[in-house]
Amino acid sequence: MSVVIVDYEAGNLRSVESAFSWLQEPFLVTAEPEEILRADRLVLPGVGEARAAMTVLEARGLIPAIREFISRGNPFLGICLGSQIILEESDEGDAPCLGLLEGRAVAFDPRQGLKIPHMGWNTITPRGSHPFLGDLPRESSFYFVHSFFPSPRDPGDVLAWCDYGDAFAAVVGRENIVATQFHPEKSGEAGLRLLRNFLQWKP
């Protein structure tokens, strides 16, 4: 099995690499479109700003490769920023994004008086069953750092919710796509369990 982690200067690579190393899963970190197209499973991590990330993806010629990978039906995992830029647009910099799912990334409302970014541990609530979430105990906690979050157009694309003032989508997905707003690679045993589930998932 070939796991490829996309390198597009959006940070967070070392912790993702460490998680897959801990799971003893071979992986390749690459910015080469050809390697993405050879992958069996693709991981799009990331921290940072949506428009800057999309600029790098475009400059490296990675956008067509990612879309082609998705069209083949192989498993795809987006993490943090990777859960936002899979949508059509982001309010962060008014950026057009990958369009793998309909919807846009939106900001937390500062009028609620919440500390932004949302940072630290918080629980998620699965909306239903999904192989990626597997046997995850309900109300499991994960590590978040973000000011924006995915808002899919189709509510059925929300796989798990989290509450921070209001409920927001913590896990989204459809068909061979899953994406987490939190960082599974920084979330202890619960996060590693999700990564194991991703490695075993057959959409």
Side-chain angles (χ1 to χ4, degrees), residues 160-184:
W161 296 97
C162 183
D163 185 77
Y164 192 63
D166 292 322
F168 68 89
V171 184
V172 298
R174 182 197 301 168
E175 298 175 347
N176 58 317
I177 297 170
V178 292
T180 65
Q181 178 56 73
F182 54 83
H183 290 274

Side-chain angles (χ1 to χ4, degrees), residues 88-109:
E88 296 168 301
E89 299 175 296
S90 174
D91 287 346
E92 187 177 24
D94 194 28
C97 297
L98 292 169
L100 306 180
L101 295 179
E102 295 85 5
R104 65 187 300 118
V106 298
F108 285 111
D109 186 350

Side-chain angles (χ1 to χ4, degrees), residues 68-81:
E68 172 66 19
F69 176 90
I70 294 296
S71 74
R72 296 177 179 179
N74 289 335
F76 171 94
L77 172 63
I79 296 175
C80 195
L81 182 61

Side-chain angles (χ1 to χ4, degrees), residues 27-104:
F27 61 88
L28 172 69
V29 178
T30 186
E32 298 299 326
E34 296 80 7
E35 297 293 350
I36 289 174
L37 294 175
R38 281 195 283 264
D40 296 316
R41 296 173 189 268
L42 190 64
V43 180
L44 184 70
V47 294
E49 195 262 344
R51 178 173 290 280
M54 290 301 301
T55 297
V56 175
L57 287 172
E58 183 174 9
R60 293 186 173 180
L62 297 174
I63 294 175
I66 292 171
R67 289 175 174 160
E68 172 66 19
F69 176 90
I70 294 296
S71 74
R72 296 177 179 179
N74 289 335
F76 171 94
L77 172 63
I79 296 175
C80 195
L81 182 61
S83 77
Q84 299 171 16
I85 62 174
I86 64 172
L87 299 171
E88 296 168 301
E89 299 175 296
S90 174
D91 287 346
E92 187 177 24
D94 194 28
C97 297
L98 292 169
L100 306 180
L101 295 179
E102 295 85 5
R104 65 187 300 118

